[in-house]
Every structure is written in C-alpha cells, then in structure tokens.
Amino acid sequence: MLTSFNFYAQGDNMKEKREQIKTMKIAFLTTELDLNSTEAEKFWPIYNTFEEKEFELKHLKMRSFIKKYKEGKDKMSEKEASTLLNQIENNEEEIFVLRKKFIGNLKGILPASKIIRLKKSEEDFNRKLLMQYRNKGQRKE
C-alpha cells in the first residue's frame, strides 16, 4: 500500500512540476513572441493542444517502448525487436506529421517570422530549463 501511495505522490509531484514548467514556458513565449491580443487569442488554444499531443507521443508512448525494450532486451527475438523498431519509427513519424500540421495551422494566425521565432524560443526555453536543472543539481552536491 505504501508503494502505491508513493507512486501516486510522485505522479502528483510530476504533474505539479509539469504545470510549473508550462506556466514558465507560457510567460517566456509570450515575451519572446510579442503576440498581439488577436494573435494570442488564436495561438494559445492551438499551441496547448499541440503540446499535449506532442507530450503524449514523445514521453508517454516512448516510455512504453523503452519499458518493452528493458523488459525483454535479453530475450527479445529479432522479429520482436523489428516490431518494436517499427513502432518507434511510426511514433517519430506521427510527431513529425503533428508538428507539420501545427505549423500549417499557425500560418493562418501568425506571420512566418513569428513562427520561426517560436521554434527558436522553444529551443531557448528548453536550454534555459536544462541549465537551471543542472545548476540546481550542482548546488546539492
């Protein structure tokens, strides 16, 4: 029972951290993109939907592939490995198609220069977040 409680507590903690990161990202992107009110009103619902689907594909689905691999890596047949590899490739393709559709949706809302700035801003945010994480880890040592 303690194990299951601990699991749910970790799940809540992860959910809380994910929400904190999402809040920081929204503030960062809002500043970087300098969206006017009309752009922001149309952009955020599309962006949030994209983010949720991308998270599902990149993290939740990929986590299940990694788990399958770890559970069977020593006894996985070539056919099973090939099937798993095909699933991973299909997932990567889904991510690509999702991003392409997302950019297509943005073209009707934002100028191309802001769409490019979005990509750069997402990379900058991720880099900044990684640096904060690294710095936090170094202070604990």
Side-chain angles (χ1 to χ4, degrees):
M1 190 163 123
L2 279 172
T3 306
S4 61
F5 177 74
N6 192 22
F7 174 76
Y8 287 111
Q10 286 178 352
D12 288 344
N13 192 24
M14 283 299 268
K15 197 177 221 181
E16 188 178 303
K17 284 183 180 181
R18 190 165 170 244
E19 284 301 316
Q20 288 174 338
I21 291 169
K22 185 177 181 178
T23 300
M24 290 173 15
K25 189 174 189 178
I26 288 170
F28 186 83
L29 292 178
T30 298
T31 302
E32 293 295 308
L33 295 178
D34 192 29
L35 300 172
N36 65 40
S37 60
T38 305
E39 290 171 335
E41 185 180 312
K42 293 176 183 176
F43 170 78
W44 287 112
I46 292 170
Y47 187 80
N48 291 334
T49 301
F50 164 74
E51 281 266 292
E52 287 299 317
K53 183 65 177 168
E54 184 183 47
F55 178 80
E56 180 184 312
L57 292 171
K58 279 186 172 180
H59 298 282
L60 302 180
K61 212 169 185 182
M62 196 56 88
R63 188 177 299 150
S64 74
F65 296 147
I66 291 168
K67 183 179 177 186
K68 281 182 191 177
Y69 173 73
K70 284 181 178 179
E71 289 172 352
K73 69 180 175 185
D74 296 330
K75 57 186 179 241
M76 188 177 281
S77 71
E78 190 60 30
K79 184 177 180 182
E80 290 169 327
S82 181
T83 299
L84 184 58
L85 182 59
N86 285 335
Q87 290 173 338
I88 292 169
E89 288 174 330
N90 289 339
N91 191 58
E92 291 293 328
E93 191 170 331
E94 273 186 80
I95 293 168
F96 173 76
V97 169
L98 177 68
R99 180 152 286 277
K100 193 170 182 174
K101 182 179 175 188
F102 168 66
I103 290 171
N105 289 338
L106 290 182
K107 285 180 180 178
I109 297 168
L110 300 176
S113 59
K114 283 192 180 182
I115 296 171
I116 292 169
R117 196 177 330 156
L118 170 64
K119 179 70 175 156
K120 170 89 171 78
S121 297
E122 287 175 318
E123 290 173 6
D124 290 348
F125 178 79
N126 290 337
R127 197 173 303 112
K128 179 180 173 183
L129 195 62
L130 184 60
M131 292 302 290
Q132 285 177 349
Y133 178 75
R134 283 182 182 164
N135 291 338
K136 185 178 178 182
Q138 289 173 353
R139 277 187 254 135
K140 286 183 179 179
E141 293 172 0

